[in-house]
Amino acid sequence: MGIPGASDRVMIRACLVLGMVCILTINRVQCVPVGARRLLAGETVFDVVKDFGAKADGRTDNTASLNSAWNKACKTVTGPAKLVIPPGDFVAGEIVWQGPCTSKPMTVEIQGTLLALSDPSTYQGKAWISLERVNDVIVTGGGTINGRGKAMWQYANEESHLPTSFQFQTVGLGKLSNLNFLDSMGFHTKVTDSHDISVWNLTITAPGTSPNTDGIHVSSTTNLNITDLVVGTGDDCVSIGHGCKNVVVSKVTCGPGHGLSIGSLGKRPDETDLGQITIINCTVKGTTNGARIKSYHSSPKMQATGITFQDIVMDQVRNPIIIDQHYHSKGAAKTEQSSVKISDVHFKNIKGTTLSPTSVILNCSSTFPCEGIELADINLQPSGNVAPLNSVCSNAKVSVVRGGLNAAGLAGCV
């Protein structure tokens, strides 16, 4: 390389003023933040151990190091950047990774294990690790996010959920893949107020008795694809809340837990319509519910429409097909009915075994009855000493397409 020209010298002075390192390449001068390393492909790498002093000893609180590494990677690079958490056990409290980022894409590569601090006072927000207001972000790496929830579950209740292990909040073009989630305090993963999100190849594990530990919960999100998950928790494997549009869930192996759920809907007054949801090619084993839609008995007026559960295998599931519009209605006045209008719902090619004699329950609102409910190719068999199957339907307009219907005992819905 020759002697730097005038423009190069100007760039070098600018780098030094900004406290950055100058790299002279064949064609130009580049400024790189101190503590960063560049790959040949042009990606700037930030290692939380080498560059920010994090300790993988399973004891040290690395919260400050992880937040500092994110701020450097996100906001001091123009072009692709990667935050690397190498192999080892990294303890941390509340982590908030906020954008917007100048780096695109911004990648977080979790190779090791993140361990949550088991102290409720540590978490001021609703998440342990929250990634917020970022476009074009990738979270991957093959590592483990361990919420160490066993010490916290005693504090769980319906009104005040414990922190989610990892959430996308107001994220666009986000990818979450190739990670293991273990024993979250609250939900394991959450996607909310986001768009164009892909989630795949996650393993999510917690005891069947753990409270409110949904595998993945989504709300107010458009264009979302979830695939290739193995989920066993104490709550819904997948739960799709209000405001979601154009969501596809596929190839999920679910159990133990509460099944594959739309809802709960209508709990809060500001909830918005949900539509175009497809849950397809999944296996549900040993859960309390299979394919479920649930709404609260007293709710704001809203729509839930264009929902398909298709090609679902049930293995000893207690409630294989259920719409429950009186969710958590104990103690409510008998006149209270859900104002969530459920329509254009398709249960197609649902087969397997059930532990309950009532294989289909469609318990809809008398104020806004369910309409356009299709049951097609339902072939469910009783497991063990279960009595002959039956169905219970109220306030539901149902059409039945023949194909294995006698085994499911659908006479009560026709």
Side-chain angles (χ1 to χ4, degrees):
M1 179 175 175
I3 298 173
S7 61
D8 292 333
R9 289 193 294 272
V10 171
M11 178 61 74
I12 291 170
R13 285 195 295 271
C15 288
L16 295 175
V17 169
L18 293 172
M20 296 187 178
V21 174
C22 301
I23 296 180
L24 277 63
T25 64
I26 294 176
N27 296 317
R28 61 194 176 107
V29 174
Q30 296 179 347
C31 295
V32 178
V34 175
R37 292 169 289 119
R38 293 191 69 86
L39 298 182
L40 293 178
E43 185 175 56
T44 308
V45 176
F46 299 80
D47 186 305
V48 298
V49 173
K50 295 179 180 178
D51 304 325
F52 296 91
K55 297 186 184 302
D57 57 12
R59 299 185 305 275
T60 302
D61 183 352
N62 294 290
T63 307
S65 294
L66 291 170
N67 284 330
S68 295
W70 167 270
N71 289 331
K72 277 283 189 179
C74 164
K75 298 176 181 179
T76 64
V77 175
T78 300
K82 180 185 290 185
L83 187 162
V84 175
I85 301 172
D89 293 334
F90 297 87
V91 174
E94 189 172 58
I95 299 169
V96 181
W97 290 335
Q98 290 184 336
C101 294
T102 57
S103 55
K104 294 184 185 299
M106 176 65 214
T107 299
V108 177
E109 189 169 284
I110 303 170
Q111 301 171 1
T113 297
L114 291 175
L115 299 163
L117 283 174
S118 298
D119 178 1
S121 65
T122 301
Y123 306 96
Q124 303 303 312
K126 296 181 179 179
W128 168 28
I129 305 169
S130 185
L131 200 153
E132 305 171 359
R133 300 194 297 274
V134 180
N135 285 311
D136 200 359
V137 62
I138 301 164
V139 181
T140 187
T144 298
I145 296 177
N146 186 344
R148 300 207 281 192
K150 291 179 182 178
M152 300 275 279
W153 292 330
Q154 59 183 312
Y155 305 112
N157 61 69
E158 276 297 323
E159 298 305 317
S160 180
H161 286 190
L162 294 173
T164 297
S165 276
F166 180 90
Q167 75 170 4
F168 276 164
Q169 168 78 53
T170 318
V171 170
L173 297 174
K175 298 178 176 66
L176 176 66
S177 69
N178 301 312
L179 289 168
N180 304 291
F181 288 84
L182 181 65
D183 291 347
S184 177
M185 291 173 276
F187 296 163
H188 284 82
T189 61
K190 183 177 180 181
V191 179
T192 186
D193 300 315
S194 298
H195 66 87
D196 298 292
I197 304 295
S198 296
V199 178
W200 72 97
N201 197 25
L202 303 182
T203 299
I204 301 174
T205 307
T209 55
S210 57
N212 299 321
T213 53
D214 293 36
I216 179 167
H217 176 75
V218 300
S219 64
S220 300
T221 294
T222 302
N223 300 332
L224 169 64
N225 186 62
I226 300 170
T227 190
D228 291 297
L229 269 58
V230 177
V231 185
T233 73
D235 212 308
D236 296 328
C237 293
V238 177
S239 56
I240 300 173
H242 77 96
C244 288
K245 299 245 172 78
N246 193 22
V247 176
V248 177
V249 177
S250 65
K251 298 180 182 178
V252 174
T253 300
C254 169
H258 294 178
L260 306 168
S261 295
I262 308 295
S264 305
L265 302 175
K267 184 176 183 179
R268 298 173 180 84
D270 58 348
E271 293 189 14
T272 57
D273 294 347
L274 168 150
Q276 305 309 311
I277 312 296
T278 299
I279 299 178
I280 188 168
N281 193 18
C282 297
T283 299
V284 185
K285 182 175 182 179
T287 57
T288 55
N289 304 287
R292 176 167 64 156
I293 302 174
K294 51 181 175 172
S295 73
Y296 279 82
H297 56 90
S298 179
S299 63
K301 289 184 179 180
M302 57 183 294
Q303 301 270 345
T305 188
I307 299 168
T308 299
F309 291 92
Q310 182 173 341
D311 303 334
I312 311 293
V313 176
M314 306 287 180
D315 185 354
Q316 300 189 74
V317 173
R318 191 159 298 281
N319 300 306
I321 296 173
I322 179 170
I323 296 177
D324 180 7
Q325 290 208 261
H326 299 84
Y327 186 66
H328 279 196
S329 61
K330 286 185 178 180
K334 291 183 179 180
T335 57
E336 286 187 299
Q337 295 289 314
S338 176
S339 295
V340 178
K341 177 67 176 181
I342 295 174
S343 64
D344 188 21
V345 178
H346 307 270
F347 298 96
K348 302 169 69 174
N349 191 30
I350 311 293
K351 60 185 179 181
T353 58
T354 174
L355 294 175
S356 170
T358 306
S359 60
V360 176
I361 301 172
L362 305 181
N363 184 12
C364 296
S365 169
S366 61
T367 304
F368 294 93
C370 298
E371 294 183 348
I373 310 300
E374 179 190 26
L375 298 168
D377 298 315
I378 310 300
N379 192 344
L380 295 165
Q381 303 288 343
S383 177
N385 296 322
V386 175
L389 301 186
N390 61 78
S391 59
V392 175
C393 296
S394 59
N395 304 311
K397 296 181 179 180
V398 181
S399 64
V400 175
V401 178
R402 293 293 170 187
L405 294 176
N406 291 337
L410 292 175
C413 288
V414 178

